[in-house]
Every structure is written in C-alpha cells, then in structure tokens.
Amino acid sequence: MCAAVVEGSDVYLYHGTGVATMKFKSPPVNSLSLDFITEFCISLEKLENDRTCRGVIFTSAVPKIFSSGLDITEMCGKSTEHYAEFWRAVQEMWLRLYGSNMVTVAAVNGSSPAGGCLIALTCDYRIMVDNPKFSIGLNEAQLGIVAPFWFKDTFVNVVGHRVAERSLQLGSLHPAAEAHKFGLVDELVPEEKLQEKAAAVMAQWLALPDHARQLTKSMMRKAVLDRLVAHREEDIQNFISFISKESIQKSLRMYMEMLKKKKS
Amino acid sequence: MCAAVVEGSDVYLYHGTGVATMKFKSPPVNSLSLDFITEFCISLEKLENDRTCRGVIFTSAVPKIFSSGLDITEMCGKSTEHYAEFWRAVQEMWLRLYGSNMVTVAAVNGSSPAGGCLIALTCDYRIMVDNPKFSIGLNEAQLGIVAPFWFKDTFVNVVGHRVAERSLQLGSLHPAAEAHKFGLVDELVPEEKLQEKAAAVMAQWLALPDHARQLTKSMMRKAVLDRLVAHREEDIQNFISFISKESIQKSLRMYMEMLKKKKS
Amino acid sequence: MCAAVVEGSDVYLYHGTGVATMKFKSPPVNSLSLDFITEFCISLEKLENDRTCRGVIFTSAVPKIFSSGLDITEMCGKSTEHYAEFWRAVQEMWLRLYGSNMVTVAAVNGSSPAGGCLIALTCDYRIMVDNPKFSIGLNEAQLGIVAPFWFKDTFVNVVGHRVAERSLQLGSLHPAAEAHKFGLVDELVPEEKLQEKAAAVMAQWLALPDHARQLTKSMMRKAVLDRLVAHREEDIQNFISFISKESIQKSLRMYMEMLKKKKS
C-alpha cells in the first residue's frame, strides 16, 4: 500500500491504497494547455510505473466543469513548431490514457466538451453527475474544426458508428441524461454520491486479476491504438496544415470572441 | 440563394434557399430502373456542383411507396452487357449518395424495401411516416438474392453488426415502429408533419460550418466508400455471374409472378 | 426428409424433418473436454454434409447448465502437445459453428459461462430460459485467463464493442434478463416453452431460400472467420505459452479448488 500527495499547478494527485485520484484544477475551465497536458502525462507515467498503483480516478476540482478540452490559445496565432509540439503532446496524452494498464474511471462532475469528453472516453468506466446543466460531447464541428480520426475511433468504440456519425457531424453536446441514454456515460449519480460511486466501481474492477484484465483491455483497444502509432507524424502534419489555414484561424478567433462575450 | 425547378420523367427536383428536394415520381412503385438511376445521378451531380445548394431532401411523389428498390426487370433475361451497365449505375448512385458533401435527409413517406431502403441508409438522417403499413428493410434474401457487401456495410454502419446480420439473413421488412426501435430510422412523424420535420432537421444540420461537417462525414464513411472503389470491377463481375445463374433467374421470375398475382 | 438418431457418450443427436437437435449430455456440467469437442465436431460435420439437414438446435440434456465451457482439466498439468491438440480442437469447433451453412439456434436451458457462451454466440439466434438463476457470459478474466481474439470478435459482433469491452474485462456472468437487455440473447422464454419456441424460430429462418441465406451469413462472418484461419498456428502457440506459465497454472488450480469447495 502506498500513500502520496503530489500537488502541481494544474493536477492535484492523491494516491493511496492502490488507487490514485487525479483532480484537474486549472481554473477557470481546466482547459488542456500544453503545460497542463505535460504535467498530466508526467503524473500518469509516474502512476503507471508505480506497481502499487492499480487504478486512477479522474475528476475536477473546479466547480461545474470537468475539462473544457484543448486550449484554443495553443492553436491560434502560434508557430508551426508550436503546433507540432502541442499536437504531439495531445497524442501522447491519448496514447497513455487509452493504453493504460491501470483501471481508469472518469468521475465527470461538470461539463466536458471536446478534449474533456475525450479524456472520459478513454476511461474504462464513466460516471457523470446527474445534472441537466452538465453536458458532454465531441463538439469540434461547432468550432469549425474536425476531431482527428483517433478521437473518432475512441468515440465509435463507446457509442457505435451511427451515434458517433450523427453526434460528430452536429458537434453535439449532450446533456447528462441524453449522454447516458445512448451509452456515452455508463451511469448517472447525484453530485454528492459521485466519489463514493467512483470508489465502488473501482473496487469492482480491481477485484479482477490485473494480468487478465490488462491483456483483455489491450486486446480490445490495440487496433485503434496501433492506428495512431502507425500514422503519428502524418497526423501531426495534417493538424498543422489544417490549423494553419487562415479560414480555420478565423473560425477559432471568432469562437474565442464569442466565449469572451458570453462571460461578460 | 438560388431557385430552380427541374422536372424529369422520374425525378422532380425543386431547389431553393440552399436546400433541394428530390421527389421520386416513377409510378407505380418508384422502382430503380436504369433510366431512373441515370436521371437520379445526373440530378445529384448538378446539385453537388451547385455551390448554392447545401442540402437535399429525398421523398416520394407516389402514394404509399418511397421506392420499391432496384427494378427487377433490369436483372431478368437481359444481356451480360446490360447487367454490367445496370450494376455500374447502381454503384454510381450509392457512391454519390453515401459520399455526398451535401446534408442528405430521407423523408420516407411509404414502404422502402431493398434499394429503396439503401437510399434512406445513405442519408445523414432518416425520418419515416408513422404508419404501420409502411415497412423498410434490405429484403433481398426473400427474393433469393444477396445484398452486395456495400449495402451490408452501409447497413452495419447504421444499425450495428448483430441487427444487420439477423435482418439481412431473414430479408426482413420492418414496420416503421420496429425500424425506429433499432435505429434503422431516426424519427417517426405523422404524414402531415413529414416535410415540416424534414425542413427542421435540415436547418439543424445546415447550422454547422459546411467544411467541418463535410470533413467529419467523409472521415466516418471513407473506409466503406474506399472498399467499393477498390473492388468495383470485381463487384460487377460477381453480380453478373450471380444474376446470370439459371436458378437466380428462376427465383426472380417467380418473384415477379407473385407480385403480379398480388396486384390482380 | 430424413430421420436418424445418433447417440454418443456426450452428444445426443436427433435429426428429422430437416432439423437436427444436438443435446449436450456430459454430466455434471457439460464441460467441453477434448473428447466432447471431438464428438461434437464429428456430429456437426455429418449434419453439415447431410443435404437433407438444414438447421440444428443446440440444447442441454443436463438440468440447469447449458455448458460450463472449456474443461479446465485439459488445460492444467498437461503436456505442450496436449495443449496444442486441445486448442486446435477448440478452434475447429468454433470454425465449424460460426461458419456453418445450417441455421443454428441456441436453446439455452441453463447457465452458460465461457466456452458455453461461445457456442451460443456462434448461433444465428439465441433463446434463453427466463430464469434469474441462469447466467451467461465470457467470464474468462475471473479465472485469471483471457478469451482469445476470436471469442472477442464473435462477442463484439453480437453485443458491440463497448458492452464487450466492459463485460470481458470484468469477466461478467449476466443473469438471463440482463443478457437479454443488451442483446447477448435474443429472446427469453419460460422453460416449458423453450423447445417449441426454438422450433418456431427455426421454421422462420428456414422459410428463406438456403443459398441466399447462406451467402448472406458468410458475408457477415467472413472477416472474423478469416482472421483465425490466417493466424491459427500463432494462436495455438500463444495459447500454449500462456497456459504453460506457472502463474496461470496456479490460477487454474485455485479456481478448480474453489469449484470443488462450492460443491461440497
């Protein structure tokens, strides 16, 4: 048994009795900046290499938001080199999460668009607070951008081809109850029961022998993981050429303006 | 904004305010003859190339039938050359529909077996009139023939592998309510609300930026489209050798006899 | 029309009017020993080659159990050669069942874990007795072992990726009602109606022309069947090296001890 508390600027990590909890706390909206993702990957790697740690629960320390997804400022008005570094980090985060040997549980205690939804999708189990104000989905199309193929593959593996096709084309953000209805989240609970439920689910999954569970998980996810590994550099080049287009930059600037106006 | 009315023998086309409506009117049952398909493809190509047109609604001008599917007379007692020409046209229709950059909505106002069901399956969204007398499905097996692999791929993408396996083997025609239950159609409406609903759905899909929606749609459908493109000639040869078998010809003749008796 | 009764030690076979019934009767739990599987494959091959036989119903002659799955004693403390022979037989059974040209119906009249569930999954249709004491699932992970990729492929084809991922990782045994809810079985019936229902379903499937139904079935299952055929020897080697591990042998011995204690 181990117990450790690691506190970073963005990720608060508590680890005891074989299960770690990663709390996102990068106000105001836990956006996935390059710094956040880097710290996230380092924390995850530590846990992965710690043989006493068998599971990790992801949740938010910021009220009403799980994670707002990729930080748009990292994709706007930056250099080609920066885009490459950022996208490689996003890929790395996904590869580590989707391929994790640990049991991963998302305790979604707020809205979770785009990259926030992706984090939840990579987990073994998704529990969401039963609040109609919280929504979740891969809404990239709403911003005029396109989720990469590995976001799509992860989504299809959870909700199936038809639901994914419709939801991705419409850039839908699904209220919690709707997300639960078609399996984007596995379970809804009142906010005050969330951590208790996450711990119970974790215990259920940890009751299985690690090696059998890990081999099974790997068997289920290998095809999709391998696809990105095989096309990683190509995917980075695609991202750079897409995001560098003036029309896309304009779309992102407009979206950020809209967000600012919404706040004030 | 554009407004145009094109009227052919089989396809009535109205196009205004960015959305076209294609009404099938080839009585008695809108069967997909070579002539029909040819005209259909030409109309579709025109719309696709018309930058003012962003969406198309498919519906029927013939009461009680959306489309009865491929015209069996084109597959019975004709020359090898004719079979090749006909099958290439069917492939072309599917490639254009499934790969369309436009938003495509099927407003299914009647029964829709076989190739009629395929047209609906290629659309982005399917609305069907809530009438238990109207049914939809890929019922080829009932006729003693087999849906080609790209009909099957399209079907699996909509309803999943299990439902497709069972429905294709049984050649099932599903009453509207059943089709809705397992996702073969997305929504049921009373007949008098169909066009209004189709327009509302279209508006919802057109609210998204075209380029993001189109790239997303292409990402979802590329694997299945590429498969036919890669095996197109082989698929034509398979069709010819299958349909030329005396046993298949006999099955089709019997089916046509049965249809004639049913009518009289 | 043919009528034949073949009675072996493990498999009771009745065949008349085009439909055979295979009753498993290897008490106490119909475990799939090498002998059982060998006889099963021989019976199946006979039926497959008998042109008067168009369908087969699988059910159990042992109360409360359909089949307990692969016989663990075949995987414990035996020679490498034995493991190879056993695994090749298991593969053979699956290849014959999943690729059968006959209509196959599972009449699941008892619990059906692991390999027992696999037999049901290969069928065209699954009917289960509506008894909350009967459960079904691929629970290999509970034993510390891993279902091979073709068990997984068969499962995904029936229940979809998400349900399969969760169920396989947890090694879940689903009570009949739950199994029905997510499509692992197609229908629940009271025990006294099981054979009647199986016959009715069989009649429905046999109403279709054999050649169209068979070609359709083959089209749906070919990709998954081909994968094992292409990797058969590799899969045997994987099985041998996995099962020969001391840690796995220990897990299996513990599981057998637990079963023995449960009984007494």
Side-chain angles (χ1 to χ4, degrees):
Chain A
M1 195 187 308
C2 96
V5 178
V6 183
E7 191 161 348
S9 56
D10 294 331
V11 180
Y12 175 90
L13 181 67
Y14 177 75
H15 177 197
T17 67
V19 177
T21 297
M22 254 203 210
K23 277 200 176 171
F24 308 146
K25 54 166 201 173
S26 180
V29 290
N30 287 333
S31 68
L32 304 173
S33 66
L34 182 54
D35 281 352
F36 184 101
I37 293 172
T38 306
E39 195 188 331
F40 185 92
C41 285
I42 291 171
S43 296
L44 205 62
E45 190 181 13
K46 274 186 200 157
L47 295 175
E48 203 78 52
N49 292 333
D50 179 349
R51 295 191 54 131
T52 65
C53 182
R54 299 174 62 216
V56 55
I57 296 167
F58 300 100
T59 195
S60 169
V62 175
K64 296 181 190 166
I65 190 92
F66 180 69
S67 163
S68 65
L70 302 185
D71 188 342
I72 295 174
T73 63
E74 305 280 10
M75 301 191 270
C76 225
K78 296 288 197 302
S79 70
T80 298
E81 289 71 27
H82 184 85
Y83 294 150
E85 188 186 0
F86 179 61
W87 201 246
R88 191 181 303 279
V90 177
Q91 291 176 333
E92 189 66 27
M93 179 182 73
W94 178 79
L95 288 169
R96 285 184 184 283
L97 278 171
Y98 203 54
S100 176
N101 268 326
M102 298 182 285
V103 173
T104 50
V105 173
V108 183
N109 53 350
S111 283
S112 197
C117 175
L118 181 75
I119 291 177
L121 286 170
T122 65
C123 288
D124 292 312
Y125 199 83
R126 285 157 288 285
I127 309 160
M128 190 166 180
V129 169
D130 190 6
N131 184 333
K133 288 182 182 165
F134 297 166
S135 63
I136 185 168
L138 294 174
N139 64 323
E140 280 80 355
Q142 293 271 3
L143 288 66
I145 58 176
V146 181
F149 71 88
W150 35 288
F151 280 48
K152 179 264 289 178
D153 288 342
T154 315
F155 198 28
V156 168
N157 273 355
V158 173
V159 298
H161 193 279
R162 171 56 189 156
V163 170
E165 182 180 291
R166 180 175 163 188
S167 183
L168 283 172
Q169 281 201 68
L170 291 173
S172 304
L173 286 174
H174 307 283
E178 187 180 292
H180 179 245
K181 199 177 161 191
F182 61 70
L184 172 46
V185 297
D186 296 298
E187 204 166 347
L188 299 180
V189 293
E191 182 135 26
E192 65 276 15
K193 300 274 178 142
L194 182 64
Q195 302 309 325
E196 180 189 330
K197 176 46 101 174
V201 165
M202 182 59 81
Q204 183 198 11
W205 285 67
L206 289 180
L208 278 289
D210 279 342
H211 71 280
R213 186 189 51 68
Q214 287 163 358
L215 286 169
T216 305
K217 181 172 178 176
S218 165
M219 176 172 65
M220 296 303 300
R221 298 186 171 191
K222 193 173 183 312
V224 162
L225 284 162
D226 284 353
R227 199 175 319 175
L228 178 58
V229 171
H231 298 283
R232 194 159 175 185
E233 297 308 317
E234 193 186 328
D235 182 60
I236 292 172
Q237 293 310 316
N238 282 346
F239 173 73
I240 293 172
S241 71
F242 182 79
I243 212 74
S244 302
K245 282 181 189 158
E246 185 41 38
S247 58
I248 301 302
Q249 286 290 312
K250 198 179 157 189
S251 286
L252 294 177
R253 283 193 303 267
M254 280 170 60
Y255 189 78
M256 287 196 293
E257 286 302 316
M258 192 198 72
L259 288 182
K260 275 182 201 162
K261 273 179 200 159
K262 237 183 172 178
K263 270 183 231 167
S264 58
Chain B
M1 195 185 307
C2 96
V5 178
V6 182
E7 193 162 348
S9 55
D10 295 332
V11 180
Y12 175 90
L13 181 67
Y14 177 74
H15 177 198
T17 68
V19 177
T21 297
M22 254 203 211
K23 277 199 176 173
F24 308 147
K25 53 165 202 174
S26 181
V29 290
N30 286 334
S31 68
L32 305 172
S33 65
L34 182 53
D35 281 352
F36 184 100
I37 294 172
T38 305
E39 195 188 332
F40 185 91
C41 285
I42 292 171
S43 296
L44 205 62
E45 189 180 14
K46 273 186 200 157
L47 295 175
E48 202 79 53
N49 292 332
D50 178 350
R51 296 190 55 129
T52 65
C53 182
R54 299 174 61 215
V56 55
I57 296 166
F58 300 100
T59 195
S60 170
V62 175
K64 297 181 190 167
I65 191 89
F66 180 68
S67 162
S68 65
L70 302 184
D71 188 341
I72 295 175
T73 62
E74 304 279 12
M75 302 191 268
C76 226
K78 296 287 199 300
S79 68
T80 298
E81 289 70 31
H82 184 85
Y83 294 150
E85 188 186 0
F86 179 61
W87 201 246
R88 192 182 301 280
V90 178
Q91 291 175 332
E92 189 65 29
M93 179 183 73
W94 178 79
L95 288 168
R96 286 184 184 282
L97 278 171
Y98 203 54
S100 175
N101 268 325
M102 297 181 286
V103 173
T104 51
V105 173
V108 183
N109 52 350
S111 283
S112 197
C117 175
L118 182 75
I119 291 177
L121 286 170
T122 63
C123 288
D124 293 312
Y125 199 83
R126 284 158 289 284
I127 310 161
M128 190 165 179
V129 168
D130 190 6
N131 184 334
K133 288 183 183 165
F134 297 166
S135 63
I136 185 168
L138 294 174
N139 63 324
E140 280 80 354
Q142 293 270 4
L143 287 66
I145 57 174
V146 181
F149 71 88
W150 35 287
F151 279 50
K152 179 265 290 178
D153 289 342
T154 315
F155 199 28
V156 168
N157 273 356
V158 172
V159 298
H161 192 279
R162 171 56 187 157
V163 170
E165 183 180 288
R166 181 176 163 188
S167 183
L168 282 173
Q169 281 201 68
L170 292 173
S172 305
L173 285 175
H174 306 282
E178 187 180 293
H180 179 245
K181 200 177 163 192
F182 61 70
L184 172 47
V185 296
D186 296 298
E187 205 166 347
L188 299 180
V189 293
E191 182 135 25
E192 66 274 17
K193 299 274 178 144
L194 181 64
Q195 301 310 325
E196 178 188 332
K197 176 46 100 171
V201 165
M202 182 58 81
Q204 183 198 9
W205 285 67
L206 290 180
L208 279 289
D210 279 340
H211 71 280
R213 187 190 49 70
Q214 288 164 356
L215 286 169
T216 304
K217 181 172 179 176
S218 166
M219 175 172 66
M220 295 303 299
R221 300 186 169 190
K222 194 174 183 312
V224 162
L225 284 162
D226 285 354
R227 199 176 317 177
L228 178 59
V229 171
H231 298 282
R232 196 160 174 183
E233 298 308 317
E234 192 186 329
D235 182 60
I236 292 172
Q237 293 309 318
N238 283 345
F239 173 73
I240 293 172
S241 71
F242 182 78
I243 212 73
S244 302
K245 282 182 189 158
E246 185 41 39
S247 58
I248 302 302
Q249 287 290 313
K250 196 180 158 191
S251 287
L252 294 178
R253 282 193 302 266
M254 282 170 60
Y255 189 79
M256 286 194 295
E257 286 302 316
M258 192 198 74
L259 288 183
K260 275 181 202 162
K261 273 179 200 159
K262 235 182 173 177
K263 268 181 233 166
S264 58
Chain C
M1 196 184 306
C2 96
V5 177
V6 183
E7 191 161 348
S9 56
D10 294 332
V11 180
Y12 175 88
L13 182 65
Y14 177 74
H15 177 197
T17 68
V19 178
T21 297
M22 254 202 208
K23 276 201 177 173
F24 308 146
K25 53 167 201 172
S26 181
V29 291
N30 287 334
S31 68
L32 304 173
S33 66
L34 182 53
D35 281 351
F36 184 101
I37 294 172
T38 305
E39 195 188 332
F40 184 91
C41 285
I42 291 170
S43 297
L44 205 62
E45 191 180 13
K46 273 185 202 157
L47 296 175
E48 202 79 52
N49 292 333
D50 178 349
R51 295 190 56 130
T52 65
C53 183
R54 299 174 62 216
V56 55
I57 296 168
F58 300 100
T59 194
S60 170
V62 176
K64 295 182 191 165
I65 191 90
F66 180 70
S67 162
S68 64
L70 303 185
D71 188 341
I72 295 175
T73 63
E74 304 280 11
M75 301 190 270
C76 227
K78 295 287 197 303
S79 69
T80 298
E81 289 70 30
H82 184 85
Y83 294 150
E85 189 187 358
F86 179 61
W87 201 246
R88 192 180 302 277
V90 178
Q91 291 175 333
E92 190 65 28
M93 179 183 73
W94 178 79
L95 287 169
R96 285 184 185 282
L97 279 171
Y98 203 54
S100 175
N101 268 327
M102 297 181 286
V103 173
T104 51
V105 172
V108 184
N109 52 350
S111 282
S112 198
C117 175
L118 182 74
I119 291 177
L121 286 170
T122 64
C123 288
D124 292 313
Y125 200 81
R126 286 157 288 285
I127 309 162
M128 190 166 180
V129 168
D130 190 6
N131 183 334
K133 288 183 184 165
F134 297 165
S135 64
I136 186 168
L138 294 174
N139 64 323
E140 281 79 355
Q142 293 270 4
L143 287 66
I145 58 176
V146 180
F149 71 88
W150 34 289
F151 280 49
K152 178 265 289 178
D153 288 343
T154 315
F155 198 29
V156 168
N157 273 356
V158 173
V159 298
H161 193 279
R162 171 56 189 157
V163 170
E165 182 180 290
R166 181 175 162 189
S167 183
L168 283 172
Q169 281 200 68
L170 292 174
S172 304
L173 286 174
H174 306 283
E178 188 180 293
H180 179 245
K181 199 177 162 191
F182 61 70
L184 172 45
V185 297
D186 296 299
E187 204 165 349
L188 300 180
V189 293
E191 183 136 25
E192 66 275 16
K193 301 274 178 144
L194 182 64
Q195 301 310 325
E196 178 189 332
K197 177 46 103 171
V201 165
M202 182 58 81
Q204 183 197 11
W205 286 67
L206 289 180
L208 279 288
D210 279 340
H211 72 280
R213 189 190 48 69
Q214 288 163 357
L215 286 169
T216 305
K217 182 172 178 175
S218 165
M219 176 172 67
M220 294 304 298
R221 299 185 170 191
K222 193 173 184 313
V224 161
L225 284 163
D226 284 353
R227 199 176 318 176
L228 178 58
V229 170
H231 298 282
R232 196 161 175 183
E233 297 308 317
E234 191 186 329
D235 182 59
I236 291 173
Q237 293 309 316
N238 282 346
F239 172 72
I240 293 173
S241 72
F242 183 77
I243 213 74
S244 302
K245 282 181 189 159
E246 186 40 39
S247 58
I248 301 301
Q249 287 291 313
K250 198 179 158 190
S251 286
L252 293 178
R253 283 194 302 268
M254 282 171 60
Y255 189 78
M256 285 195 295
E257 285 302 317
M258 192 197 73
L259 288 183
K260 275 182 202 162
K261 275 180 199 158
K262 236 183 172 176
K263 270 181 232 168
S264 59

